[in-house]
Amino acid sequence: MLAHTARILLASLGAYALAVAAASLLARTLPIARIEATFTATMLAIPVMVGAAILAYGCRHARDAALWIIGGVLVLGGVAWMVPA
Amino acid sequence: MSTRQGSFRQRIAPLHTWSGLIVGWLMLAIAVTGTMTVFRPETSAWMRPEVAQTSPPEQALRAAVAYLRERAPDAPGWYLQMPDDRTPTLQAVFADESAPQGYRDIALDPVTGRPDSMRETLGGEFLYRFHFELQLPYPWGRILASAAGMLMLITLVSGIIIHRRIFADFFTFRSAKGQRSWLDAHNVLGVLALPFHIMIAATGILTLVTLTFPWAGYAAYGKDEAALVADLYPGIVERERAGTPAPLADMPALLKRAQDLFDGAPVSRVSIENPGDAAATVTMARSDAASLGYGAEDATFDGVTGKLLKHYRQVEPARTTFSVLYGLHIGRFAPDVTRWLYFLCGLALSGLIATGLILWVEARRKRPHFGLAFVERVNVGMVTGLPLGLVALFWANRLLPPHMPDRVVAEPRFFFWAWGAALLIALIRPPRRAWPELSALVALGAAALPFLSWAVTGRGLWDALLAGDWLFLGADLLAFAFAAMFARITIALRRKGAPPREVRAKREAMA
């Protein structure tokens, strides 16, 4: 039951959070005009979210999925936080 | 305990099954109304049979602006969709506090510029709006539709992963084999138009992304929101209302100048901000009927002096990619053949969702429980209720008095009432009865529509054929095609609902 709930939350909220983190990092670091980086990052966020949802269910252990997704949010989000806007 | 046994493919299966069920009913409604929206201009034109005349764009614009000047002189803006070869009327949107939703979205006659010569109807705009707003208040409908689109995309991708023999199944259809046949149908509908399904789900999410996913913009611009807005909408010139009245510049002249700027391409949208004020601006957008990208070029003029303030032409690669993806979703670029392909692929997607929902029930038949019975019955109500709602909408369009009060909101009510009635019947009646009964109702309603329309408008199938009236001819033939499809479903289901052959043979032998 716990594992089920974990996978559902990882595939929804976790996937969205990972997309936000990845898009924020890309938007701040891509070496192109700000608006172009914004468009690029926003478009790439969609496959990131789909991939994260697949990952949430594809991992053998819910724990591994949590590690990848929450870890990804923290690492990508953390770097994005440190890079100036 | 948290281990999931089996292969990667088996672990993904529940993601497909459950995301599919959660989103299925909602997505079916989105897919059906979206498929109809492919023919939004044609639907609007069919729903306004009084409009027979067209007029050149300059004249239509002049007439519409004259009307808006008396109808909505204080509105902060008038947003006009110009007539073209698919739509004879001009569509106007403006704020109005007395309107149910706070704004009016009305069609104007291209000759008189007025709405009163034709029946009051939202036309194809209703189905278009429902497709992504789901009749819910802003922004909840759009957020829900986006979430459904994302679940749809996840369901599609996980569906591909769990599908073992994707190419072989393309050629496999085992009919009348119960669950196996539903699976085959589901696979064929899914694989046949797979690139379309993925494209339409992903690009559908993109159309609402400024609302649902503003984070990249916030990350790149930080607190500088004004710069973000300016970069997002480079064609727009923001001006504060001056408070001093001033007459609008000559619209047909501005239209002509915009067309010259656009290498002669027609103008599709005209936005007039602060009309009647000294700070008025007029933005003309190049029609995207002949190009893939959406909103690729516009020109903004001073609304009083007519001076060109800004001419924006999209060249940036990422933005262009975005607008092409957006354009792919709305498919306005599509010439006739492509448009029909969009329509057919939309039908395939609707069928994919419907068969998926049925399959969910079939796969669990061996262990019946309350939840299963409920899902099965709602499935019947949704799969037959949506087409029944469409039939009711078009019937209401022909039968309601042309100028009854609040007709604009009355018409869509019939869509919801018929859909709700189908759901109610499906919940009460046993599914093996409700399926053929409701399908028969759809078939009868659709088959009678051309005759009803003929009786009311005097434009029958035969006249349409003689006059080369493709709009009415196409609508009538499409109604007959759907009637035939649902009649076929009714017959197949009645046979299935009848007692098995051995029992029947025994009975006959005994009689």
Side-chain angles (χ1 to χ4, degrees):
Chain A
M1 200 59 211
L2 184 69
H4 274 295
T5 317
R7 281 186 204 263
I8 291 169
L9 288 176
L10 285 170
S12 51
L13 297 179
Y16 189 80
L18 189 66
V20 173
S24 302
L25 181 61
L26 276 175
R28 285 192 173 179
T29 52
L30 283 177
I32 45 180
R34 275 197 297 184
I35 190 67
E36 285 288 282
T38 301
F39 273 108
T40 310
T42 304
M43 286 187 282
L44 289 175
I46 291 175
V48 168
M49 186 165 174
V50 174
I54 299 287
L55 188 71
Y57 275 78
C59 283
R60 197 171 290 277
H61 301 279
R63 198 185 51 223
D64 297 349
L67 209 66
W68 281 109
I69 293 172
I70 298 175
V73 172
L74 292 177
V75 171
L76 298 179
V79 178
W81 183 268
M82 284 184 284
V83 178
Chain B
M1 35 137 243
S2 65
T3 308
R4 199 169 284 238
Q5 292 307 319
S7 66
F8 178 69
R9 187 177 283 147
Q10 283 164 327
R11 292 198 296 275
I12 295 294
L15 178 64
H16 180 74
T17 313
W18 291 100
S19 61
L21 181 70
I22 292 168
V23 81
W25 294 329
L26 186 56
M27 207 58 231
L28 187 64
I30 295 176
V32 168
T33 49
T35 304
M36 287 301 298
T37 300
V38 172
F39 291 121
R40 166 160 67 135
E42 287 78 11
T43 308
S44 292
W46 185 88
M47 289 174 90
R48 297 189 185 101
E50 298 85 1
V51 185
Q53 277 181 304
T54 55
S55 67
E58 305 81 46
Q59 208 177 310
L61 182 60
R62 189 197 301 274
V65 167
Y67 169 72
L68 286 170
R69 205 175 280 144
E70 61 177 80
R71 168 71 195 265
D74 301 321
W78 303 331
Y79 309 98
L80 306 171
Q81 186 77 42
M82 295 296 291
D84 56 31
D85 48 1
R86 291 176 71 189
T87 329
T89 50
L90 193 144
Q91 197 76 21
V93 177
F94 52 89
D96 181 350
E97 275 163 24
S98 67
Q101 283 144 322
Y103 68 90
R104 297 269 174 205
D105 186 354
I106 52 174
L108 303 177
D109 187 291
V111 179
T112 63
R114 307 183 64 84
D116 24 36
S117 63
M118 48 195 150
R119 63 192 61 215
E120 249 187 84
T121 174
L122 288 173
E125 296 297 302
F126 163 64
L127 295 170
Y128 161 71
R129 289 263 163 203
F130 182 83
H131 171 63
F132 64 96
E133 292 181 337
L134 308 168
Q135 202 74 4
L136 294 173
Y138 182 86
W140 303 111
R142 292 176 180 216
I143 290 176
L144 190 61
S146 290
M150 179 48 85
L151 268 166
M152 175 84 202
L153 190 59
I154 292 170
T155 309
L156 283 167
V157 174
S158 55
I160 300 166
I161 294 173
I162 63 174
H163 198 320
R164 245 166 286 217
R165 325 158 40 233
I166 208 152
F167 188 71
D169 272 359
F170 192 83
F171 303 100
T172 313
F173 185 73
R174 287 153 285 189
S175 74
K177 292 262 189 310
Q179 189 187 338
R180 191 66 241 182
S181 304
W182 286 115
L183 183 59
D184 286 348
H186 188 62
N187 289 341
V188 167
L189 288 169
V191 175
L192 206 63
L194 187 62
F196 174 84
H197 300 330
I198 292 185
M199 176 280 280
I200 214 77
T203 55
I205 298 164
L206 272 185
T207 59
L208 296 171
V209 92
T210 43
L211 173 70
T212 56
F213 201 88
W215 313 113
Y218 291 163
Y221 287 78
K223 292 201 170 58
D224 200 358
E225 224 172 294
L228 173 60
V229 173
D231 281 358
L232 266 181
Y233 309 104
I236 286 181
V237 179
E238 282 278 7
R239 274 215 216 163
E240 285 290 319
R241 214 179 168 85
T244 40
L248 265 180
D250 181 40
M251 285 296 135
L254 290 188
L255 192 72
K256 177 81 183 54
R257 280 171 56 202
Q259 282 173 349
D260 289 344
L261 286 171
F262 302 157
D263 314 315
V267 168
S268 60
R269 276 173 295 122
V270 178
S271 312
I272 304 169
E273 303 282 356
N274 305 326
D277 187 85
T281 59
V282 179
T283 302
M284 307 245 174
R286 179 185 180 138
S287 165
D288 48 18
S291 63
L292 222 43
Y294 167 80
E297 186 173 5
D298 47 33
T300 300
F301 301 93
D302 186 299
V304 179
T305 64
K307 186 175 154 257
L308 179 67
L309 298 175
K310 203 170 226 178
H311 176 207
Y312 170 72
R313 185 182 292 214
Q314 187 174 76
V315 285
E316 310 94 318
R319 180 198 291 275
T320 305
T321 310
F322 179 86
S323 84
V324 165
L325 291 172
Y326 197 121
L328 272 177
H329 189 84
I330 54 178
R332 265 207 293 262
F333 70 92
D336 286 344
V337 176
T338 322
R339 200 172 302 146
W340 279 98
L341 273 177
Y342 261 78
F343 185 73
L344 291 176
C345 288
L347 286 183
L349 180 60
S350 309
L352 176 72
I353 299 164
T355 52
L357 284 168
I358 291 167
L359 199 52
W360 193 92
V361 172
E362 293 293 327
R364 283 161 185 75
R365 269 224 194 284
K366 292 198 186 87
R367 289 190 295 124
H369 54 90
F370 174 76
L372 187 68
F374 178 76
V375 171
E376 183 178 20
R377 283 168 189 239
V378 176
N379 280 351
V380 181
M382 293 296 282
V383 173
T384 58
L386 281 161
L388 195 64
L390 291 177
V391 168
L393 176 73
F394 295 135
W395 272 64
N397 174 264
R398 287 301 190 248
L399 286 180
L400 290 178
H403 296 291
M404 69 176 269
D406 286 331
R407 195 182 187 285
V408 175
V409 279
E411 253 181 28
R413 262 183 216 140
F414 282 85
F415 173 79
F416 293 113
W417 283 339
W419 184 6
L423 272 170
L424 205 63
I425 291 171
L427 284 174
I428 299 167
R429 300 280 290 159
R432 71 191 165 82
R433 296 245 179 269
W435 266 123
E437 285 166 2
L438 288 167
S439 305
L441 207 56
V442 176
L444 289 175
L449 189 59
F451 297 102
L452 175 71
S453 171
W454 180 25
V456 173
T457 64
R459 286 163 77 176
L461 182 60
W462 184 244
D463 314 289
L465 192 63
L466 289 184
D469 179 354
W470 289 105
L471 176 69
F472 270 61
L473 192 63
D476 285 1
L477 292 179
L478 212 50
F480 284 138
F482 274 97
M485 191 173 92
F486 277 92
R488 179 75 189 81
I489 293 174
T490 310
I491 291 164
L493 290 172
R494 268 178 58 88
R495 219 173 273 150
K496 203 172 153 243
R501 197 167 292 154
E502 314 85 74
V503 182
R504 216 162 51 214
K506 232 179 244 170
R507 260 192 223 153
E508 277 159 18
M510 276 157 70

